[in-house]
Amino acid sequence: MLLVEDNADVRNFALAVLDRQGYRAIVCADGLDALKRAEAHDGTIDLLVTDVVMLVMNGRILAEKIGERRPGLRVLYTSGYP
C-alpha cells in the first residue's frame, strides 16, 4: 500500500490506524516523493491511498502517473475538504 498525505498529523493518524489493522504502507508526504518511491519499489502496490488536494501534485494526477506503470492499481481518494 502507498499512503500519500501532505498533512503530517493526518498522515500519522492514518498510518497508526492502518498499522493497528495489520497493513504495511509506504508513507509519502507528497506526490513527487510517492512517484519516486513507487518507481523504486520492486514489489506490488495493492492500493494507493491518497489525499485529493495536495500542493505539489494532486491525488488524481498522482494516481494517473503511477497507474501508467502499474495497470490495475486500485485507488482510494481521501480529503479533508467538504
Side-chain angles (χ1 to χ4, degrees):
M1 172 185 312
L2 186 60
L3 171 64
V4 188
E5 170 58 60
D6 59 350
N7 181 293
D9 291 334
V10 175
R11 187 173 58 245
N12 292 334
F13 174 75
L15 181 59
V17 170
L18 292 168
D19 280 345
R20 274 183 279 191
Q21 297 301 314
Y23 292 99
R24 292 183 316 147
I26 301 167
V27 183
C28 304
D30 61 53
L32 292 178
D33 183 37
L35 282 176
K36 290 177 192 171
R37 305 229 7 228
E39 184 68 27
H41 185 69
D42 289 333
T44 61
I45 297 176
D46 297 319
L47 177 65
L48 168 63
V49 178
T50 182
D51 189 359
V52 175
V53 180
M54 295 184 287
L55 294 176
V56 176
M57 177 185 308
N58 74 46
R60 184 185 56 79
I61 292 172
L62 174 63
E64 288 173 3
K65 289 184 179 279
I66 294 176
E68 290 171 2
R69 298 243 180 190
R70 296 178 180 267
L73 176 70
R74 292 179 292 168
V75 181
L76 175 63
Y77 294 104
T78 63
S79 180
Y81 293 94

